[in-house]
Every structure is written in C-alpha cells, then in structure tokens.
Amino acid sequence: MALEEKISVLEGAESTLVMASGMYASNVMLLALVPTNGHIVATKDCYKETRIFMENFLTKLGITVTFIDSDDIAGLQTLVNNHEVSLFFTESPTNPFLRCVDIKLVSKICHRRGTLVCIDATIATPINQKTLALGADLVHHSATKYIGGHNDFLAGSISGSMELVSKIRNLHKLLGGTLNPNAAYLLIRGMKTMHLRVRQQNSTGMKMAQVLEAHPKVSRVYYLGLPSHPEHLIAKRQMTGIGGLISFEIDGDLKTTIKFIDALKIPYLAASFGGCESLVDQLATGIWDIPREERLKDGFQDNLVRFSFGIEDFEDIKADVLQALETI
C-alpha cells in the first residue's frame, strides 16, 4: 500500500495497483477491462509477448484486435468511429524504436467514442512524462526497469482512476500475481534515487545519441531527442527528457555487430533496461525463433543494437563505445 501510494502521487493518479511483473500487469488489465467480444486497437510495435497474448489468448474470448502503426492517427479515428472499440493500448515511447504517440490527441479521439486509453510508459518513466495529465485513462509500467532501477527484481504497476483500478484489482485477487513484500521494499528504495538516476540517464542518452549519429560506423540512430526522429516534435511537447535507452544500427552485418558488442567493456550483455548498470543487447540474436523475413519486416535488422545507458560517468561510457566501434 505504501508503494502504491507513492506511485499514485508520482503519476497524479487516484489509485495504483502493483503486481508481480509488467507482463502480468498488462495482461490482467486487458482481461479486466475488455469485455467478451470486445475490440482492442494496439500499435504494431507493442511488446512482442503482449501482442502474442492478444492474438493467441484474447481471441479465445471472442476479443478482436486491430494493430496499427503508431503514427496512423487517421486509422485510429476510423476504427473508433466505425467500431465499438473497448481499449486503445500502446507503449509511448515504444521499445526498441522509440516511436511515440501524441497522447493528448489519441485520448481526445478515443474519449469521444467512449474508448479507454492505456499507455505503457515504462521507457518514459513518471519523471519524464506525466501520462495521465496528458489525457490517458491508465498508465502502465514495468517497474522492473527505471522505477526500480537496480536490475534485481520484477514488478509491474497500473495507475489511474479508482473506478478502473478497482476493476483490475478485483480480477488480480483471483489470478494471484502478487508482488512479494521484499520486492515492494526494493521498489521504494529504488524510487528514492529515481529522479537522480533518470536525470543522469537523460543527459548520457542525449549526448551518446549525438555521438552515435555523427559516427561513420553507425548507419542509423533511434532516439526521440534527435531532430532526425519522426516523432521528435511530439516528444518535445509531452516529455521533459528521453531517458537512456538508444537503439542504433551498425554499418555492417550480423558478425560485424557481434564484434562491436564483444569489444565493449562496461555494459553487461542483457535484455532489460533502465537500471544503474549499462546493458547492451543485439536484438536479432534474441529472437531467432522468429523467421528472418518476419524480423526484417518489423525493422529488426541483423545490425540492430539496443543500448541502455546506466549512471556511469559519461566520458567512460563514451570512450568505451568509441573504442568498440574502432574494432570493426
């Protein structure tokens, strides 16, 4: 309860529910709020496992799902006008390409037709984006990431009105994905330094994005703080910082990218993000179960790197990345 009250204050929410993981939090929210035979609109680049849950499990309840591009505002408007859409769900920013939606605009479009809006703001954090104040009904976090900040437990949260969160809480009691008390303690501990950690990660992320974009051995950088990102102006309006997560493409193939990652000395090779330690991940090697043609269609090139910058000294991180690039 102490943890839920703290997150509610951060998010400006009436109520918050903390749960065993971010994945569980999003799934129980969908089950609690979308009725049998309901309709969901989600963005194509939402978390892969969430998409699988929607397509493979929710359809058994007669729930239909339409996936749209994150910038397809006209498509969203058409769908909510012509169908009884129960919920619009998206990450903002998304992982790993940091696409974002205009939360004020999509909330306005959805609310005209009674459609709920839930934004997964894990990458944004409650520090860099006030999601509920922008108009969303619910904000979801994998608290494992920036809120906890130490890469040592799993947790998820949903914040919003008392009415909506109570509906989720009632189902949560039946499904049992309870957060253990020690993880709640660790989350409260992590939140004490969140504003300091995120401030450092905002600074390092912005400076490293500029370094990478200017480097001849990097072919493309995905970071909302850069004017080259298609949603840069939207992010500038609704976010106060972009965080430490950057995706970029090495100018080379799969083996060249592996060589770059192996040459790094500071980051751990791991798939999470948002913690004190820098983490790096070559995304193509983590999704070998998906056919290469399908991966490429979704933008997951063999040379795609996701780098979560921690709170290490910027000059140390910069030197490490530059020396690794020199090896390829």
Side-chain angles (χ1 to χ4, degrees):
M1 287 175 66
L3 171 60
E4 290 176 346
E5 287 171 8
K6 286 179 181 292
I7 295 176
S8 289
V9 172
L10 270 176
E11 291 290 5
E14 288 181 355
S15 183
T16 292
L17 173 62
V18 293
M19 291 160 276
S21 70
M23 186 72 202
Y24 174 85
S26 59
N27 287 355
V28 74
M29 180 275 298
L30 292 168
L31 287 169
L33 299 183
V34 181
T36 304
N37 301 319
H39 189 88
I40 299 169
V41 176
T43 50
K44 291 177 181 176
D45 53 355
C46 68
Y47 186 51
K48 183 185 75 169
E49 280 71 16
T50 301
R51 181 167 179 163
I52 291 170
F53 178 75
M54 289 177 180
E55 290 179 318
N56 296 355
F57 183 81
L58 291 186
T59 50
K60 295 178 182 178
L61 304 178
I63 294 169
T64 52
V65 188
T66 303
F67 293 97
I68 61 173
D69 291 327
S70 57
D71 61 350
D72 189 5
I73 298 299
L76 174 64
Q77 188 145 17
T78 299
L79 284 163
V80 298
N81 286 346
N82 296 335
H83 303 275
E84 194 172 329
V85 178
S86 307
L87 180 79
F88 173 60
F89 181 73
T90 185
E91 297 172 37
S92 189
T94 66
N95 178 17
F97 297 111
L98 281 92
R99 304 299 300 272
C100 76
V101 300
D102 186 330
I103 298 172
K104 275 187 179 178
L105 180 58
V106 298
S107 298
K108 187 177 178 181
I109 290 169
C110 290
H111 291 161
R112 282 182 190 143
R113 303 290 295 180
T115 299
L116 295 174
V117 175
C118 181
I119 303 291
D120 180 339
T122 298
I123 292 176
T125 78
I127 304 296
N128 285 334
Q129 179 175 281
K130 297 303 182 188
T131 304
L132 298 178
L134 289 165
D137 299 289
L138 295 163
V139 57
H140 165 268
H141 289 283
S142 170
T144 309
K145 313 297 195 300
Y146 282 103
I147 297 179
H150 289 75
N151 296 321
D152 54 5
F153 61 85
L154 300 176
S157 70
I158 296 281
S159 303
S161 70
M162 184 66 73
E163 179 187 0
L164 291 175
V165 174
S166 294
K167 289 179 181 178
I168 302 166
R169 194 183 298 275
N170 289 339
L171 181 60
H172 161 65
K173 288 177 181 176
L174 300 178
L175 298 181
T178 307
L179 184 68
N180 77 76
N182 188 60
Y185 157 74
L186 291 173
L187 256 172
I188 292 171
R189 172 216 61 182
M191 288 170 67
K192 291 176 182 178
T193 59
M194 179 165 57
H195 67 294
L196 299 173
R197 290 185 284 102
V198 171
R199 185 190 304 163
Q200 174 71 8
Q201 288 163 311
N202 287 342
S203 174
T204 298
M206 188 67 245
K207 288 188 282 190
M208 281 308 307
Q210 292 167 338
V211 168
L212 289 165
E213 190 170 52
H215 202 285
K217 293 182 180 178
V218 176
S219 56
R220 185 170 182 182
V221 179
Y222 301 91
Y223 191 71
L224 281 160
L226 296 173
S228 57
H229 195 289
E231 279 91 50
H232 171 69
L233 293 178
I234 296 174
K236 201 172 175 181
R237 283 199 308 269
Q238 67 186 24
M239 300 179 72
T240 56
I242 309 300
L245 188 69
I246 302 177
S247 296
F248 56 96
E249 292 168 5
I250 295 293
D251 188 14
D253 58 9
L254 182 74
K255 290 184 178 177
T256 305
T257 309
I258 290 172
K259 188 177 180 183
F260 161 73
I261 287 177
D262 285 347
L264 291 164
K265 294 183 172 69
I266 291 176
Y268 291 90
L269 183 61
S272 192
F273 62 86
C276 292
E277 304 89 357
S278 288
L279 305 176
V280 68
D281 186 19
Q282 185 175 3
L283 292 164
T285 64
I287 50 175
W288 283 113
D289 54 324
I290 300 174
R292 187 170 183 271
E293 300 74 27
E294 205 173 310
R295 283 191 280 116
L296 293 175
K297 188 176 71 176
D298 290 335
F300 288 85
Q301 305 288 337
D302 290 341
N303 60 351
L304 180 65
V305 175
R306 185 182 66 178
F307 208 125
S308 172
F309 292 97
I311 62 170
E312 302 92 347
D313 183 82
F314 167 70
E315 293 299 333
D316 290 343
I317 287 283
K318 177 184 172 183
D320 190 28
V321 172
L322 291 179
Q323 68 81 22
L325 286 169
E326 287 307 309
T327 67
I328 61 176

Short mmCIF file of all heavy atoms in Angstrom, two decimals, residues 3-60:
data_model
loop_
_atom_site.label_atom_id
_atom_site.label_comp_id
_atom_site.label_asym_id
_atom_site.label_seq_id
_atom_site.Cartn_x
_atom_site.Cartn_y
_atom_site.Cartn_z
N LEU A 3 3.84 1.56 -1.25
CA LEU A 3 4.40 1.68 -2.60
C LEU A 3 3.34 2.21 -3.56
O LEU A 3 3.63 3.11 -4.38
CB LEU A 3 4.91 0.31 -3.07
CG LEU A 3 5.34 0.21 -4.52
CD1 LEU A 3 6.48 1.17 -4.84
CD2 LEU A 3 5.75 -1.23 -4.85
N GLU A 4 2.13 1.68 -3.50
CA GLU A 4 1.06 2.12 -4.40
C GLU A 4 0.76 3.60 -4.21
O GLU A 4 0.55 4.34 -5.19
CB GLU A 4 -0.19 1.26 -4.17
CG GLU A 4 -0.01 -0.17 -4.66
CD GLU A 4 -1.19 -1.07 -4.36
OE1 GLU A 4 -2.06 -0.69 -3.54
OE2 GLU A 4 -1.25 -2.17 -4.93
N GLU A 5 0.76 4.05 -2.97
CA GLU A 5 0.51 5.47 -2.70
C GLU A 5 1.60 6.35 -3.29
O GLU A 5 1.33 7.43 -3.84
CB GLU A 5 0.38 5.69 -1.20
CG GLU A 5 -0.92 5.16 -0.61
CD GLU A 5 -0.93 5.18 0.91
OE1 GLU A 5 0.01 5.76 1.50
OE2 GLU A 5 -1.87 4.62 1.50
N LYS A 6 2.85 5.91 -3.22
CA LYS A 6 3.96 6.69 -3.77
C LYS A 6 3.86 6.80 -5.28
O LYS A 6 4.06 7.88 -5.86
CB LYS A 6 5.29 6.05 -3.36
CG LYS A 6 5.66 6.26 -1.90
CD LYS A 6 6.99 5.59 -1.56
CE LYS A 6 7.33 5.78 -0.09
NZ LYS A 6 7.65 7.19 0.24
N ILE A 7 3.55 5.70 -5.95
CA ILE A 7 3.43 5.74 -7.41
C ILE A 7 2.24 6.60 -7.82
O ILE A 7 2.31 7.36 -8.80
CB ILE A 7 3.32 4.31 -8.00
CG1 ILE A 7 4.62 3.54 -7.74
CG2 ILE A 7 3.03 4.35 -9.50
CD1 ILE A 7 4.60 2.09 -8.18
N SER A 8 1.15 6.52 -7.06
CA SER A 8 -0.03 7.35 -7.36
C SER A 8 0.32 8.83 -7.31
O SER A 8 -0.12 9.62 -8.16
CB SER A 8 -1.17 7.05 -6.38
OG SER A 8 -1.72 5.77 -6.62
N VAL A 9 1.08 9.22 -6.30
CA VAL A 9 1.48 10.62 -6.19
C VAL A 9 2.34 11.03 -7.38
O VAL A 9 2.15 12.09 -7.99
CB VAL A 9 2.23 10.88 -4.86
CG1 VAL A 9 2.82 12.29 -4.84
CG2 VAL A 9 1.28 10.71 -3.67
N LEU A 10 3.29 10.16 -7.75
CA LEU A 10 4.17 10.45 -8.90
C LEU A 10 3.36 10.62 -10.18
O LEU A 10 3.67 11.47 -11.02
CB LEU A 10 5.17 9.31 -9.09
CG LEU A 10 6.50 9.40 -8.36
CD1 LEU A 10 7.32 8.13 -8.59
CD2 LEU A 10 7.30 10.62 -8.81
N GLU A 11 2.34 9.78 -10.36
CA GLU A 11 1.57 9.78 -11.60
C GLU A 11 0.35 10.72 -11.55
O GLU A 11 -0.32 10.89 -12.56
CB GLU A 11 1.09 8.36 -11.94
CG GLU A 11 2.21 7.40 -12.34
CD GLU A 11 2.81 7.73 -13.69
OE1 GLU A 11 2.46 8.75 -14.30
OE2 GLU A 11 3.66 6.94 -14.17
N GLY A 12 0.05 11.28 -10.39
CA GLY A 12 -1.16 12.09 -10.28
C GLY A 12 -2.40 11.24 -10.44
O GLY A 12 -3.39 11.67 -11.06
N ALA A 13 -2.37 10.03 -9.88
CA ALA A 13 -3.47 9.06 -10.05
C ALA A 13 -4.27 8.92 -8.76
O ALA A 13 -3.75 9.11 -7.66
CB ALA A 13 -2.91 7.70 -10.45
N GLU A 14 -5.54 8.56 -8.90
CA GLU A 14 -6.36 8.26 -7.72
C GLU A 14 -5.94 6.95 -7.06
O GLU A 14 -6.05 6.81 -5.85
CB GLU A 14 -7.84 8.16 -8.13
CG GLU A 14 -8.49 9.48 -8.49
CD GLU A 14 -9.96 9.31 -8.86
OE1 GLU A 14 -10.46 8.16 -8.92
OE2 GLU A 14 -10.61 10.34 -9.09
N SER A 15 -5.50 6.01 -7.88
CA SER A 15 -5.20 4.69 -7.35
C SER A 15 -4.13 4.01 -8.20
O SER A 15 -4.01 4.28 -9.40
CB SER A 15 -6.47 3.83 -7.34
OG SER A 15 -6.23 2.55 -6.79
N THR A 16 -3.36 3.14 -7.56
CA THR A 16 -2.34 2.34 -8.25
C THR A 16 -2.40 0.92 -7.73
O THR A 16 -2.65 0.69 -6.54
CB THR A 16 -0.93 2.92 -8.01
OG1 THR A 16 -0.81 4.18 -8.66
CG2 THR A 16 0.16 2.00 -8.53
N LEU A 17 -2.17 -0.02 -8.63
CA LEU A 17 -2.08 -1.43 -8.26
C LEU A 17 -0.70 -1.92 -8.68
O LEU A 17 -0.31 -1.78 -9.84
CB LEU A 17 -3.17 -2.24 -8.97
CG LEU A 17 -3.14 -3.76 -8.85
CD1 LEU A 17 -3.30 -4.19 -7.39
CD2 LEU A 17 -4.24 -4.39 -9.71
N VAL A 18 0.08 -2.47 -7.72
CA VAL A 18 1.38 -3.06 -8.06
C VAL A 18 1.25 -4.57 -8.10
O VAL A 18 0.50 -5.17 -7.31
CB VAL A 18 2.49 -2.63 -7.08
CG1 VAL A 18 2.77 -1.15 -7.20
CG2 VAL A 18 2.16 -3.00 -5.64
N MET A 19 1.98 -5.18 -9.03
CA MET A 19 1.82 -6.62 -9.28
C MET A 19 3.17 -7.26 -9.54
O MET A 19 4.21 -6.60 -9.53
CB MET A 19 0.87 -6.82 -10.46
CG MET A 19 -0.57 -6.43 -10.13
SD MET A 19 -1.58 -6.11 -11.62
CE MET A 19 -1.14 -4.40 -11.95
N ALA A 20 3.15 -8.57 -9.80
CA ALA A 20 4.37 -9.37 -9.83
C ALA A 20 5.29 -9.08 -11.01
O ALA A 20 6.48 -9.36 -10.93
CB ALA A 20 4.00 -10.86 -9.83
N SER A 21 4.78 -8.53 -12.10
CA SER A 21 5.63 -8.22 -13.25
C SER A 21 4.88 -7.27 -14.18
O SER A 21 3.65 -7.14 -14.10
CB SER A 21 6.01 -9.49 -14.03
OG SER A 21 4.88 -10.02 -14.70
N GLY A 22 5.61 -6.63 -15.05
CA GLY A 22 4.98 -5.75 -16.04
C GLY A 22 4.08 -6.52 -16.99
O GLY A 22 3.01 -6.05 -17.37
N MET A 23 4.51 -7.73 -17.36
CA MET A 23 3.72 -8.56 -18.26
C MET A 23 2.39 -8.95 -17.62
O MET A 23 1.32 -8.86 -18.23
CB MET A 23 4.52 -9.82 -18.61
CG MET A 23 3.88 -10.71 -19.65
SD MET A 23 3.96 -9.97 -21.28
CE MET A 23 2.63 -10.85 -22.09
N TYR A 24 2.44 -9.35 -16.35
CA TYR A 24 1.21 -9.71 -15.64
C TYR A 24 0.29 -8.49 -15.53
O TYR A 24 -0.93 -8.60 -15.72
CB TYR A 24 1.54 -10.25 -14.25
CG TYR A 24 0.31 -10.50 -13.40
CD1 TYR A 24 -0.40 -11.69 -13.50
CD2 TYR A 24 -0.15 -9.53 -12.52
CE1 TYR A 24 -1.53 -11.91 -12.73
CE2 TYR A 24 -1.27 -9.74 -11.75
CZ TYR A 24 -1.97 -10.94 -11.86
OH TYR A 24 -3.10 -11.15 -11.11
N ALA A 25 0.87 -7.32 -15.25
CA ALA A 25 0.06 -6.11 -15.08
C ALA A 25 -0.72 -5.77 -16.34
O ALA A 25 -1.91 -5.45 -16.29
CB ALA A 25 0.96 -4.93 -14.67
N SER A 26 -0.06 -5.84 -17.49
CA SER A 26 -0.77 -5.52 -18.74
C SER A 26 -1.81 -6.58 -19.07
O SER A 26 -2.92 -6.26 -19.52
CB SER A 26 0.22 -5.36 -19.90
OG SER A 26 0.98 -6.54 -20.10
N ASN A 27 -1.49 -7.84 -18.81
CA ASN A 27 -2.44 -8.92 -19.13
C ASN A 27 -3.70 -8.86 -18.26
O ASN A 27 -4.82 -9.01 -18.75
CB ASN A 27 -1.77 -10.28 -18.97
CG ASN A 27 -0.78 -10.57 -20.08
OD1 ASN A 27 -0.65 -9.80 -21.03
ND2 ASN A 27 -0.05 -11.67 -19.97
N VAL A 28 -3.53 -8.63 -16.95
CA VAL A 28 -4.71 -8.59 -16.07
C VAL A 28 -5.54 -7.35 -16.37
O VAL A 28 -6.78 -7.37 -16.28
CB VAL A 28 -4.30 -8.69 -14.59
CG1 VAL A 28 -3.69 -7.41 -14.07
CG2 VAL A 28 -5.49 -9.08 -13.72
N MET A 29 -4.88 -6.25 -16.76
CA MET A 29 -5.62 -5.05 -17.16
C MET A 29 -6.50 -5.34 -18.37
O MET A 29 -7.69 -4.97 -18.40
CB MET A 29 -4.62 -3.93 -17.48
CG MET A 29 -5.24 -2.61 -17.91
SD MET A 29 -5.61 -2.50 -19.70
CE MET A 29 -3.98 -2.67 -20.42
N LEU A 30 -5.94 -6.02 -19.37
CA LEU A 30 -6.73 -6.35 -20.57
C LEU A 30 -7.90 -7.27 -20.24
O LEU A 30 -9.02 -7.06 -20.71
CB LEU A 30 -5.81 -7.00 -21.61
CG LEU A 30 -4.75 -6.09 -22.24
CD1 LEU A 30 -3.73 -6.92 -23.02
CD2 LEU A 30 -5.38 -5.05 -23.16
N LEU A 31 -7.65 -8.27 -19.41
CA LEU A 31 -8.70 -9.22 -19.05
C LEU A 31 -9.81 -8.54 -18.24
O LEU A 31 -10.99 -8.87 -18.37
CB LEU A 31 -8.11 -10.38 -18.25
CG LEU A 31 -7.28 -11.39 -19.03
CD1 LEU A 31 -6.55 -12.32 -18.08
CD2 LEU A 31 -8.16 -12.18 -20.00
N ALA A 32 -9.44 -7.59 -17.40
CA ALA A 32 -10.42 -6.95 -16.51
C ALA A 32 -11.27 -5.92 -17.24
O ALA A 32 -12.45 -5.75 -16.91
CB ALA A 32 -9.70 -6.29 -15.34
N LEU A 33 -10.71 -5.23 -18.22
CA LEU A 33 -11.40 -4.08 -18.80
C LEU A 33 -11.99 -4.31 -20.19
O LEU A 33 -12.84 -3.53 -20.62
CB LEU A 33 -10.44 -2.88 -18.86
CG LEU A 33 -9.91 -2.39 -17.51
CD1 LEU A 33 -9.03 -1.16 -17.70
CD2 LEU A 33 -11.04 -2.07 -16.54
N VAL A 34 -11.54 -5.35 -20.89
CA VAL A 34 -12.08 -5.61 -22.23
C VAL A 34 -13.10 -6.73 -22.12
O VAL A 34 -12.77 -7.85 -21.73
CB VAL A 34 -10.96 -6.00 -23.22
CG1 VAL A 34 -11.54 -6.24 -24.61
CG2 VAL A 34 -9.89 -4.90 -23.27
N PRO A 35 -14.35 -6.48 -22.45
CA PRO A 35 -15.39 -7.49 -22.30
C PRO A 35 -15.29 -8.59 -23.36
O PRO A 35 -14.62 -8.42 -24.39
CB PRO A 35 -16.69 -6.69 -22.47
CG PRO A 35 -16.31 -5.56 -23.37
CD PRO A 35 -14.90 -5.21 -22.99
N THR A 36 -15.94 -9.71 -23.10
CA THR A 36 -16.06 -10.76 -24.11
C THR A 36 -16.64 -10.15 -25.39
O THR A 36 -17.59 -9.36 -25.34
CB THR A 36 -16.99 -11.88 -23.61
OG1 THR A 36 -16.46 -12.37 -22.37
CG2 THR A 36 -17.06 -13.02 -24.61
N ASN A 37 -16.03 -10.50 -26.52
CA ASN A 37 -16.41 -9.96 -27.84
C ASN A 37 -16.05 -8.48 -27.99
O ASN A 37 -16.52 -7.82 -28.91
CB ASN A 37 -17.90 -10.17 -28.13
CG ASN A 37 -18.29 -11.64 -28.11
OD1 ASN A 37 -17.55 -12.48 -28.61
ND2 ASN A 37 -19.44 -11.95 -27.53
N GLY A 38 -15.24 -7.96 -27.07
CA GLY A 38 -14.78 -6.58 -27.19
C GLY A 38 -13.73 -6.42 -28.28
O GLY A 38 -13.28 -7.40 -28.89
N HIS A 39 -13.33 -5.19 -28.49
CA HIS A 39 -12.35 -4.90 -29.54
C HIS A 39 -11.23 -4.03 -28.98
O HIS A 39 -11.48 -3.06 -28.26
CB HIS A 39 -13.04 -4.17 -30.72
CG HIS A 39 -12.17 -4.03 -31.92
ND1 HIS A 39 -12.09 -4.98 -32.91
CD2 HIS A 39 -11.32 -3.04 -32.32
CE1 HIS A 39 -11.24 -4.60 -33.85
NE2 HIS A 39 -10.75 -3.41 -33.50
N ILE A 40 -9.99 -4.40 -29.30
CA ILE A 40 -8.80 -3.65 -28.87
C ILE A 40 -8.11 -3.10 -30.11
O ILE A 40 -7.99 -3.78 -31.13
CB ILE A 40 -7.82 -4.56 -28.11
CG1 ILE A 40 -8.46 -5.14 -26.85
CG2 ILE A 40 -6.53 -3.81 -27.76
CD1 ILE A 40 -7.64 -6.25 -26.21
N VAL A 41 -7.63 -1.87 -30.01
CA VAL A 41 -6.71 -1.33 -31.01
C VAL A 41 -5.37 -1.16 -30.31
O VAL A 41 -5.29 -0.60 -29.22
CB VAL A 41 -7.18 0.02 -31.59
CG1 VAL A 41 -6.14 0.58 -32.56
CG2 VAL A 41 -8.53 -0.15 -32.31
N ALA A 42 -4.32 -1.71 -30.92
CA ALA A 42 -2.97 -1.60 -30.36
C ALA A 42 -2.00 -1.26 -31.48
O ALA A 42 -2.31 -1.42 -32.66
CB ALA A 42 -2.57 -2.91 -29.69
N THR A 43 -0.83 -0.80 -31.10
CA THR A 43 0.17 -0.47 -32.12
C THR A 43 1.01 -1.71 -32.45
O THR A 43 1.24 -2.56 -31.59
CB THR A 43 1.08 0.68 -31.65
OG1 THR A 43 1.57 0.38 -30.34
CG2 THR A 43 0.31 1.99 -31.61
N LYS A 44 1.47 -1.77 -33.69
CA LYS A 44 2.16 -2.96 -34.19
C LYS A 44 3.45 -3.25 -33.43
O LYS A 44 3.86 -4.40 -33.32
CB LYS A 44 2.49 -2.78 -35.67
CG LYS A 44 1.27 -2.79 -36.58
CD LYS A 44 1.65 -2.53 -38.03
CE LYS A 44 0.41 -2.53 -38.92
NZ LYS A 44 0.75 -2.18 -40.32
N ASP A 45 4.09 -2.20 -32.90
CA ASP A 45 5.38 -2.42 -32.24
C ASP A 45 5.25 -2.47 -30.72
O ASP A 45 6.19 -2.15 -30.00
CB ASP A 45 6.39 -1.34 -32.65
CG ASP A 45 5.86 0.07 -32.45
OD1 ASP A 45 4.69 0.21 -32.08
OD2 ASP A 45 6.64 1.02 -32.67
N CYS A 46 4.08 -2.90 -30.22
CA CYS A 46 3.97 -3.10 -28.78
C CYS A 46 4.80 -4.34 -28.41
O CYS A 46 5.21 -5.12 -29.28
CB CYS A 46 2.51 -3.26 -28.34
SG CYS A 46 1.68 -4.76 -28.88
N TYR A 47 5.04 -4.52 -27.13
CA TYR A 47 5.85 -5.62 -26.62
C TYR A 47 5.42 -6.94 -27.24
O TYR A 47 4.22 -7.27 -27.27
CB TYR A 47 5.72 -5.65 -25.09
CG TYR A 47 6.59 -6.62 -24.37
CD1 TYR A 47 7.96 -6.67 -24.60
CD2 TYR A 47 6.05 -7.47 -23.41
CE1 TYR A 47 8.76 -7.56 -23.90
CE2 TYR A 47 6.84 -8.35 -22.70
CZ TYR A 47 8.20 -8.40 -22.96
OH TYR A 47 8.99 -9.28 -22.26
N LYS A 48 6.39 -7.72 -27.75
CA LYS A 48 6.08 -8.93 -28.52
C LYS A 48 5.19 -9.89 -27.75
O LYS A 48 4.20 -10.42 -28.30
CB LYS A 48 7.39 -9.64 -28.92
CG LYS A 48 7.17 -10.87 -29.79
CD LYS A 48 8.48 -11.60 -30.06
CE LYS A 48 8.94 -12.36 -28.85
NZ LYS A 48 10.06 -13.29 -29.13
N GLU A 49 5.49 -10.13 -26.47
CA GLU A 49 4.69 -11.07 -25.69
C GLU A 49 3.27 -10.56 -25.44
O GLU A 49 2.33 -11.35 -25.37
CB GLU A 49 5.40 -11.40 -24.37
CG GLU A 49 6.51 -12.42 -24.48
CD GLU A 49 7.76 -11.88 -25.19
OE1 GLU A 49 7.89 -10.64 -25.31
OE2 GLU A 49 8.60 -12.69 -25.61
N THR A 50 3.11 -9.24 -25.32
CA THR A 50 1.77 -8.67 -25.17
C THR A 50 0.98 -8.91 -26.44
O THR A 50 -0.21 -9.26 -26.40
CB THR A 50 1.85 -7.17 -24.87
OG1 THR A 50 2.60 -6.97 -23.67
CG2 THR A 50 0.46 -6.57 -24.69
N ARG A 51 1.63 -8.72 -27.58
CA ARG A 51 0.96 -8.96 -28.87
C ARG A 51 0.56 -10.44 -29.00
O ARG A 51 -0.55 -10.75 -29.44
CB ARG A 51 1.88 -8.55 -30.03
CG ARG A 51 1.23 -8.75 -31.38
CD ARG A 51 1.99 -8.05 -32.49
NE ARG A 51 1.34 -8.29 -33.76
CZ ARG A 51 1.55 -7.59 -34.86
NH1 ARG A 51 2.40 -6.58 -34.84
NH2 ARG A 51 0.93 -7.88 -35.98
N ILE A 52 1.44 -11.34 -28.60
CA ILE A 52 1.14 -12.77 -28.66
C ILE A 52 -0.05 -13.09 -27.75
O ILE A 52 -0.95 -13.86 -28.12
CB ILE A 52 2.37 -13.60 -28.27
CG1 ILE A 52 3.45 -13.48 -29.34
CG2 ILE A 52 1.99 -15.07 -28.06
CD1 ILE A 52 4.80 -14.07 -28.94
N PHE A 53 -0.09 -12.49 -26.55
CA PHE A 53 -1.20 -12.71 -25.63
C PHE A 53 -2.52 -12.23 -26.25
O PHE A 53 -3.54 -12.92 -26.17
CB PHE A 53 -0.94 -11.95 -24.32
CG PHE A 53 -2.04 -12.06 -23.31
CD1 PHE A 53 -2.23 -13.23 -22.59
CD2 PHE A 53 -2.89 -10.99 -23.06
CE1 PHE A 53 -3.25 -13.34 -21.65
CE2 PHE A 53 -3.91 -11.09 -22.13
CZ PHE A 53 -4.09 -12.27 -21.42
N MET A 54 -2.48 -11.07 -26.90
CA MET A 54 -3.68 -10.55 -27.55
C MET A 54 -4.14 -11.47 -28.68
O MET A 54 -5.32 -11.81 -28.79
CB MET A 54 -3.41 -9.15 -28.11
CG MET A 54 -3.26 -8.07 -27.07
SD MET A 54 -2.87 -6.48 -27.88
CE MET A 54 -2.75 -5.39 -26.46
N GLU A 55 -3.20 -11.89 -29.52
CA GLU A 55 -3.56 -12.64 -30.73
C GLU A 55 -3.90 -14.10 -30.43
O GLU A 55 -4.80 -14.67 -31.07
CB GLU A 55 -2.40 -12.60 -31.73
CG GLU A 55 -2.17 -11.23 -32.35
CD GLU A 55 -1.00 -11.22 -33.31
OE1 GLU A 55 0.04 -11.83 -32.99
OE2 GLU A 55 -1.11 -10.60 -34.38
N ASN A 56 -3.22 -14.71 -29.47
CA ASN A 56 -3.37 -16.15 -29.24
C ASN A 56 -4.30 -16.51 -28.09
O ASN A 56 -4.84 -17.61 -28.06
CB ASN A 56 -2.01 -16.80 -28.99
CG ASN A 56 -1.09 -16.72 -30.19
OD1 ASN A 56 -1.49 -16.27 -31.25
ND2 ASN A 56 0.14 -17.16 -30.03
N PHE A 57 -4.48 -15.60 -27.12
CA PHE A 57 -5.31 -15.92 -25.98
C PHE A 57 -6.61 -15.13 -25.95
O PHE A 57 -7.69 -15.70 -25.80
CB PHE A 57 -4.56 -15.71 -24.66
CG PHE A 57 -5.37 -16.10 -23.46
CD1 PHE A 57 -5.46 -17.43 -23.08
CD2 PHE A 57 -6.07 -15.16 -22.71
CE1 PHE A 57 -6.22 -17.80 -21.97
CE2 PHE A 57 -6.83 -15.52 -21.63
CZ PHE A 57 -6.91 -16.86 -21.25
N LEU A 58 -6.53 -13.81 -26.10
CA LEU A 58 -7.75 -13.00 -26.01
C LEU A 58 -8.76 -13.34 -27.10
O LEU A 58 -9.96 -13.20 -26.89
CB LEU A 58 -7.39 -11.51 -26.07
CG LEU A 58 -6.63 -10.94 -24.85
CD1 LEU A 58 -6.48 -9.43 -24.98
CD2 LEU A 58 -7.33 -11.29 -23.54
N THR A 59 -8.26 -13.80 -28.24
CA THR A 59 -9.18 -14.20 -29.33
C THR A 59 -10.06 -15.38 -28.91
O THR A 59 -11.16 -15.54 -29.43
CB THR A 59 -8.39 -14.57 -30.59
OG1 THR A 59 -7.36 -15.50 -30.25
CG2 THR A 59 -7.76 -13.34 -31.23
N LYS A 60 -9.61 -16.19 -27.94
CA LYS A 60 -10.42 -17.30 -27.44
C LYS A 60 -11.65 -16.79 -26.68
O LYS A 60 -12.61 -17.53 -26.49
CB LYS A 60 -9.59 -18.19 -26.52
CG LYS A 60 -8.45 -18.90 -27.22
CD LYS A 60 -7.64 -19.72 -26.23
CE LYS A 60 -6.46 -20.40 -26.90
NZ LYS A 60 -5.63 -21.17 -25.93
#
